[in-house]
Amino acid sequence: NGKIDLIVTKSVSRFARNTVDSLVTVRKLKEAGVEIYFQKENIYTLDSKGELFIMIMSSLAQEESRKVSERVKAGQRISRANKQLYGSGNILGYDRNPGETYKINPEQAETVKMIYDLYEEGYGTMKIAKILQERKRLTATGTTKWTSHNVGRVLQNATYKGYIGYYKSYSNNYLEQKRVHNLDKDSYEYVKGDFEPIITEEQWDRCQAILKEKRKTTLVVNGEEKKKSNRTSRDLWVKKLRCSCGSSFRKNRY
């Protein structure tokens, strides 16, 4: 709107993460009559040589971002080799202080064992959630409100058999650095931890086999195999509709 004629920026590296973004933005602002001053490099964009300097400095900043990304990944590989725990450690069944490993919380661990035992006995996740609520068992956040999703997460968490799971999320690239939730559980890397498990590996494997039996594989778009539930329904749309991930929908009545 013509109210700004100068933008002061600390350095080129703080202006944009890559060369293309820098040049595109600089040109748009130049068309609007807005000049940018990069303090560290002492560059003015309306100067005749400004764009050339910005292109060079942006390329250097982009290369530095790439090197930093590589160093971070190298550090992560070392931390995984050292069995380092990620996250805050707010997991049902365990207590953890910063810099320490998991320590079993007896009361919460009893809830975890209860979930696995009930699932092996043939109870579904919704039924287990209802039982836990009736028994006033607390969740990891200290409430008695249990859902099928809460129970399912416990059943699929390898931490309870004494293993640490890596690659559950990752950075999309070194320029955008957005965290992406990894939906491909087969690509997770599991390392045996140095903390005491709550359940045996055998029981965990048995429960995973039950989970797998309740799901089947179907072919979806472009022949890519996806998982969908075995659950049947008399509703026409539940039978017909499929999510892009291959899963079926459910119909709720209120």
Side-chain angles (χ1 to χ4, degrees):
N1 295 328
K3 296 180 180 180
I4 296 175
D5 55 13
L6 177 66
I7 296 174
V8 180
T9 309
K10 189 69 178 176
S11 69
V12 172
S13 64
R14 308 311 305 156
F15 185 69
R17 292 188 183 276
N18 62 70
T19 309
V20 174
D21 284 350
S22 289
L23 292 176
V24 170
T25 308
V26 165
R27 287 171 181 172
K28 283 183 177 180
L29 290 169
K30 187 183 289 186
E31 289 173 3
V34 180
E35 186 172 26
I36 309 169
Y37 173 60
F38 298 97
Q39 187 179 20
K40 183 179 178 181
E41 295 82 7
N42 193 28
I43 298 173
Y44 283 92
T45 55
L46 293 185
D47 185 270
S48 58
K49 298 179 181 178
E51 189 169 306
L52 174 62
F53 286 140
I54 290 169
M55 184 174 67
I56 294 172
M57 298 307 296
S58 295
S59 298
L60 293 174
Q62 180 174 318
E63 178 63 15
E64 181 60 26
S65 293
R66 185 188 65 80
K67 289 180 179 179
V68 169
S69 177
E70 288 182 353
R71 289 195 291 269
V72 170
K73 288 180 179 178
Q76 288 175 341
R77 286 193 292 270
I78 294 172
S79 67
R80 287 193 290 269
N82 294 332
K83 301 180 181 180
Q84 182 176 332
L85 298 173
Y86 293 162
S88 62
N90 183 25
I91 176 175
L92 182 71
Y94 289 103
D95 293 324
R96 180 191 168 202
N97 294 321
E100 296 182 3
T101 188
Y102 289 130
K103 293 181 181 178
I104 288 182
N105 180 311
E107 179 67 22
Q108 293 184 3
E110 191 64 32
T111 303
V112 173
K113 292 177 182 177
M114 197 179 296
I115 291 172
Y116 278 85
D117 290 342
L118 288 170
Y119 196 69
E120 271 199 289
E121 291 174 16
Y123 290 93
T125 55
M126 291 183 69
K127 182 63 176 177
I128 293 174
K130 185 178 180 181
I131 292 173
L132 294 174
Q133 285 191 178
E134 290 172 350
R135 296 180 183 180
K136 306 293 184 183
R137 306 302 299 190
L138 298 178
T139 65
T141 56
T143 70
T144 56
K145 186 178 179 180
W146 285 89
T147 64
S148 175
H149 178 69
N150 295 145
V151 175
R153 289 188 64 181
V154 171
L155 289 169
Q156 297 178 68
N157 195 334
T159 304
Y160 297 123
K161 67 171 182 175
Y163 281 74
I164 306 170
Y166 295 113
Y167 296 115
K168 293 183 178 181
S169 66
Y170 57 89
S171 178
N172 61 338
N173 58 61
Y174 70 90
L175 295 175
E176 294 180 315
Q177 296 182 8
K178 292 181 180 178
R179 296 306 299 176
V180 179
H181 181 55
N182 187 6
L183 298 177
D184 182 13
K185 295 183 180 179
D186 293 333
S187 66
Y188 291 177
E189 179 184 322
Y190 291 103
V191 178
K192 192 170 181 61
D194 57 358
F195 52 89
E196 185 181 353
I198 293 177
I199 62 170
T200 64
E201 292 188 38
E202 291 75 20
Q203 186 176 24
W204 194 84
D205 290 336
R206 288 195 299 270
C207 287
Q208 300 318 297
I210 296 172
L211 281 167
K212 193 173 182 180
E213 285 178 7
K214 292 186 176 182
R215 300 179 71 84
K216 65 180 180 180
T217 301
T218 184
L219 288 177
V220 291
V221 183
N222 298 325
E224 184 182 358
E225 287 190 350
K226 295 287 184 180
K227 298 290 184 181
K228 74 172 184 179
S229 173
N230 259 334
R231 177 171 46 83
T232 59
S233 174
R234 289 178 294 179
D235 185 85
L236 174 65
W237 297 113
V238 171
K239 291 179 181 179
K240 294 288 186 182
L241 292 174
R242 285 287 177 269
C243 174
S244 59
C245 75
S247 298
S248 60
F249 290 94
R250 70 165 180 241
K251 182 175 182 178
N252 294 330
R253 288 189 178 88
Y254 295 93

